[in-house]
């Protein structure tokens, strides 16, 4: 049965196309910087937003019209798998991602939940045999069920710590079974509402213990996926422990986990932390910790996680700049952790949304590659830090100075000259690159 019968295979038709069901800029075979767009961008579809979410918000019921909604229970789970693989194929997307509860309903106890998962996982495995779409990552939803109200690995209740471990153990087995490239840990409710009732040290130590056990178990079963921590500063808790890349990196180092994890960076989480998307990507990149990306965008007028499809070309360009400078995403990818707006309730909107996101990143990729090739920002930075390439500057970076020598140098200075940072000139140049990328200039 076809779930999206009004939609055919989405093809690249070029910037002049007026077909809403065609890519204007994402051309999977086109080579940029020696790599095809398909192999470099590694797009992924988020199962939860695309096949599960109903559009409900704190003020209103679901709005989405979904052809699989006539089913319930395991029949619904099976219908979603069929719909998902039809969607992946029509969109031509190489990856997908899911939480355990997205693919199979929870049973009345953990054993039953495992059984449901086993049934759906074997169905997904069958579908994957005839599909080019692979699993970018899976994860455990240890936050929706009321049992996780005080957190999962950082819960005040040791039974919940154990329950969470069992779900992640199962998730690692599923990841191995389906050949996942990565396994994600987003600290759903790993954080606190108030310090007044919180043992901060015990919770953080427990989180460290939990991650070590996950690393050990993956090794035990021979699951070689890249482990990823996904930072987010708040929501649902007041303070999430994996606040941003900087604090997540400090956490990993403190608990001796830095060699086993990288980061999955989400645009909207970066902005919630008061950073730009590119700041988080850069911070991870310079520390060798950039693993994967949840490609979306927030709304600067709203203070919560809106998970919008990425359409801001300036942002996709600067994000792709960091990714190219990182040498690509390795086993990671660009997962659209994004949902259509509540008012975009037709099944077709799922295609429009993904086409918009894929085209936006394709443009970003092309423009960013040109910025890299022309050394636009490299030249700016090289010129700006020129004083560190000779004289006292070179002595500083090569460790040949101390406060005596520096004081000597300072006392003998007759004139100090600073250079302009040229921010506005640089931004104008980026605009020029953005507008010229498809004009053949
Ligand atoms: C929620 C997170 C979540 C993770 C996976 O804000 O983005 O969806 O990506 O658990
Ligand atoms: Ca995410
Ligand atoms: Ca989000």
């Amino acid at each position: 049965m076809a779930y999206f019968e009004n939609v055919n295979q989405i093809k690249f038709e070029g910037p002049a196309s007026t077909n809403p069901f065609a890519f204007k800029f994402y051309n999977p075979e086109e080579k940029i910087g020696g790599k095809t767009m398909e192999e470099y961008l590694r797009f992924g579809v988020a199962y939860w937003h695309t096949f599960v979410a109903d559009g409900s918000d704190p003020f209103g019921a679901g709005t989405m019209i979904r052809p699989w909604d006539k089913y319930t229970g395991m029949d619904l789970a099976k219908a979603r798998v069929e719909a998902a693989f039809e969607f992946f194929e029509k969109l031509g997307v190489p990856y997908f991602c899911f939480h355990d509860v997205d693919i199979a309903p929870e049973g009345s106890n953990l054993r039953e939940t495992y059984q449901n998962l086993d049934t759906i996982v074997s169905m997904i495995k069958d579908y994957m045999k005839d599909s080019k779409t692979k699993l970018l990552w899976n994860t455990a939803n240890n936050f929706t069920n009321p049992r996780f109200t005080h957190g999962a690995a950082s819960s005040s209740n040791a039974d919940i710590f154990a329950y969470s471990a069992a779900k992640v153990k199962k998730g690692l087995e599923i990841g191995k079974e389906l050949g996942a490239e990565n396994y994600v840990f987003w600290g759903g409710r790993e954080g606190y509402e108030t310090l007044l009732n919180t043992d901060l040290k015990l919770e953080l130590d427990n989180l460290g213990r939990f991650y070590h056990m996950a690393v050990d178990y993956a090794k035990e079963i021979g699951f070689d996926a890249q482990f990823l921590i996904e930072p987010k500063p708040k929501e649902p808790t007041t303070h999430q422990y994996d606040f941003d890349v900087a604090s997540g990196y400090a956490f990993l180092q403190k608990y001796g986990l830095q060699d086993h994890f990288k980061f999955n960076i989400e645009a909207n989480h970066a902005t919630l932390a008061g950073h730009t998307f590119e700041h988080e990507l850069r911070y991870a990149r310079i520390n060798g910790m950039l693993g994967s990306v949840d490609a979306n965008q927030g709304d600067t007028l709203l203070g919560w996680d809106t998970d919008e499809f990425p359409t801001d070309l300036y942002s996709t360009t600067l994000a792709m700049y960091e990714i190219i400078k990182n040498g690509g995403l390795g086993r990671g990818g660009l997962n659209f952790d994004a949902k259509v707006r509540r008012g975009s309730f037709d099944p077709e909107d799922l295609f429009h949304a993904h086409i918009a996101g894929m085209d936006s990143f394709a443009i970003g990729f092309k423009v960013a590659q040109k910025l890299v090739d022309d050394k636009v920002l490299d030249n700016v930075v090289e010129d700006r830090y020129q004083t560190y390439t000779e004289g006292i500057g070179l002595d500083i970076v090569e460790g040949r100075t101390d406060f005596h020598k520096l004081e000597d140098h300072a006392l003998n200075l007759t004139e100090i000259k600073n250079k302009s940072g040229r921010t506005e000139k640089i931004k104008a140049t980026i605009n020029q690159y953005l507008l010229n990328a498809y004009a053949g200039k």
Side-chain angles (χ1 to χ4, degrees):
M1 164 185 175
Y3 291 88
F4 303 100
E5 48 193 15
N6 301 334
V7 184
N8 299 316
Q9 182 75 42
I10 310 294
K11 296 199 180 107
F12 171 71
E13 290 185 6
S17 168
T18 53
N19 176 4
F21 291 104
F23 297 118
K24 319 298 182 302
F25 303 98
Y26 176 64
N27 180 2
E29 280 127 48
E30 185 179 338
K31 283 197 171 167
I32 296 189
K35 289 262 172 68
T36 68
M37 285 197 185
E38 184 171 29
E39 64 186 350
Y40 206 78
L41 295 168
R42 298 167 63 85
F43 287 127
V45 170
Y47 209 94
W48 53 104
H49 286 309
T50 306
F51 310 111
V52 181
D54 65 0
S56 57
D57 70 11
F59 301 94
T63 55
M64 298 299 156
I65 300 167
R66 298 291 180 249
W68 48 86
D69 276 350
K70 55 183 180 235
Y71 301 104
T72 55
M74 285 298 277
D75 290 338
L76 172 59
K78 289 176 187 169
R80 281 179 175 143
V81 175
E82 291 167 0
F85 279 88
E86 183 189 333
F87 187 81
F88 303 153
E89 198 174 321
K90 287 189 167 165
L91 195 63
V93 80
Y95 289 102
F96 71 113
C97 303
F98 64 78
H99 302 82
D100 46 8
V101 304
D102 303 333
I103 59 164
E106 289 192 83
S108 54
N109 56 46
L110 190 55
R111 272 201 185 80
E112 215 176 284
T113 300
Y114 282 1
Q115 279 163 16
N116 292 348
L117 280 167
D118 289 341
T119 305
I120 301 298
V121 166
S122 84
M123 182 177 174
I124 290 179
K125 199 174 176 187
D126 273 351
Y127 269 83
M128 285 175 81
K129 280 184 197 139
D130 303 318
S131 165
K132 65 165 206 168
T133 306
K134 294 185 285 208
L135 185 56
L136 185 63
W137 51 262
N138 61 313
T139 186
N141 176 327
N142 286 351
F143 46 90
T144 298
N145 192 293
R147 74 174 67 88
F148 299 114
T149 186
H150 298 309
S154 66
S155 171
S156 45
N157 181 346
D159 286 341
I160 298 300
F161 185 99
Y163 199 100
S164 307
K167 283 192 77 199
V168 170
K169 177 175 178 288
K170 184 71 178 166
L172 296 172
E173 290 159 12
I174 290 171
K176 183 177 180 206
E177 179 78 9
L178 298 179
E181 300 270 6
N182 307 272
Y183 187 86
V184 163
F185 295 84
W186 169 58
R189 289 183 193 272
E190 312 293 27
Y192 62 78
E193 267 161 24
T194 169
L195 276 179
L196 298 174
N197 60 9
T198 300
D199 186 338
L200 190 62
K201 182 161 188 322
L202 178 68
E203 292 203 0
L204 287 166
D205 287 350
N206 278 350
L207 208 50
R209 291 183 183 105
F210 192 93
Y211 289 143
H212 270 291
M213 287 188 256
V215 168
D216 291 347
Y217 187 66
K219 202 170 160 203
E220 185 185 324
I221 63 171
F223 178 39
D224 72 344
Q226 172 66 57
F227 275 15
L228 301 169
I229 300 255
E230 182 180 321
K232 184 175 183 179
K234 55 188 166 191
E235 203 194 281
T237 70
T238 311
H239 175 94
Q240 301 268 130
Y241 291 138
D242 304 320
F243 192 94
D244 60 1
V245 173
S247 58
Y249 189 43
F251 171 91
L252 291 175
Q253 289 180 96
K254 174 172 178 194
Y255 291 96
L257 289 159
Q258 68 275 18
D259 297 337
H260 303 288
F261 286 82
K262 286 188 175 175
F263 289 101
N264 181 39
I265 293 169
E266 181 173 319
N268 202 170
H269 297 182
T271 49
L272 284 177
H275 304 308
T276 58
F277 184 19
E278 56 274 19
H279 164 94
E280 288 292 84
L281 293 168
R282 175 81 60 97
Y283 209 101
R285 166 166 83 78
I286 62 165
N287 288 296
M289 297 296 281
L290 175 50
S292 198
V293 170
D294 271 2
N296 65 9
Q297 69 187 30
D299 187 324
T300 48
L301 301 179
L302 301 174
W304 64 91
D305 195 14
T306 58
D307 286 345
E308 297 174 24
F309 274 85
T311 51
D312 177 342
L313 304 182
Y314 208 87
S315 170
T316 59
T317 298
L318 296 186
M320 284 311 300
Y321 184 83
E322 296 303 326
I323 291 167
I324 295 168
K325 283 287 190 182
N326 193 56
L329 287 170
R331 301 186 75 179
L334 294 168
N335 165 49
F336 291 112
D337 190 353
K339 57 187 176 204
V340 288
R341 297 304 87 192
R342 191 175 147 77
S344 308
F345 42 71
D346 288 335
E348 289 76 22
D349 287 309
L350 294 171
F351 284 93
H352 296 315
H354 283 85
I355 291 169
M358 290 160 86
D359 272 344
S360 299
F361 266 91
I363 294 171
F365 184 17
K366 201 162 184 173
V367 177
Q369 185 66 51
K370 191 116 185 38
L371 287 168
V372 171
D373 291 346
D374 293 354
K375 296 191 181 318
V376 173
L377 300 181
D378 281 339
N379 287 341
V380 166
V381 171
E382 195 183 307
D383 182 52
R384 189 152 182 252
Y385 294 86
Q386 186 269 329
T387 58
Y388 286 94
T389 61
E390 60 191 19
I392 190 74
L394 193 59
D395 286 345
I396 292 171
V397 297
E398 294 192 341
R400 288 190 297 266
T401 50
D402 57 22
F403 270 17
H404 298 288
K405 282 188 200 156
L406 292 168
E407 182 185 51
D408 243 17
H409 181 85
L411 287 172
N412 287 314
L413 286 170
T414 45
E415 193 194 9
I416 297 178
K417 264 197 195 158
N418 264 326
K419 280 184 188 170
S420 164
R422 303 262 187 258
T423 303
E424 299 77 7
K425 181 180 169 219
I426 300 163
K427 289 188 174 177
T429 308
I430 293 176
N431 282 349
Q432 211 180 347
Y433 271 70
L434 258 163
L435 292 171
N436 286 347
Y438 287 88
K441 287 173 200 144

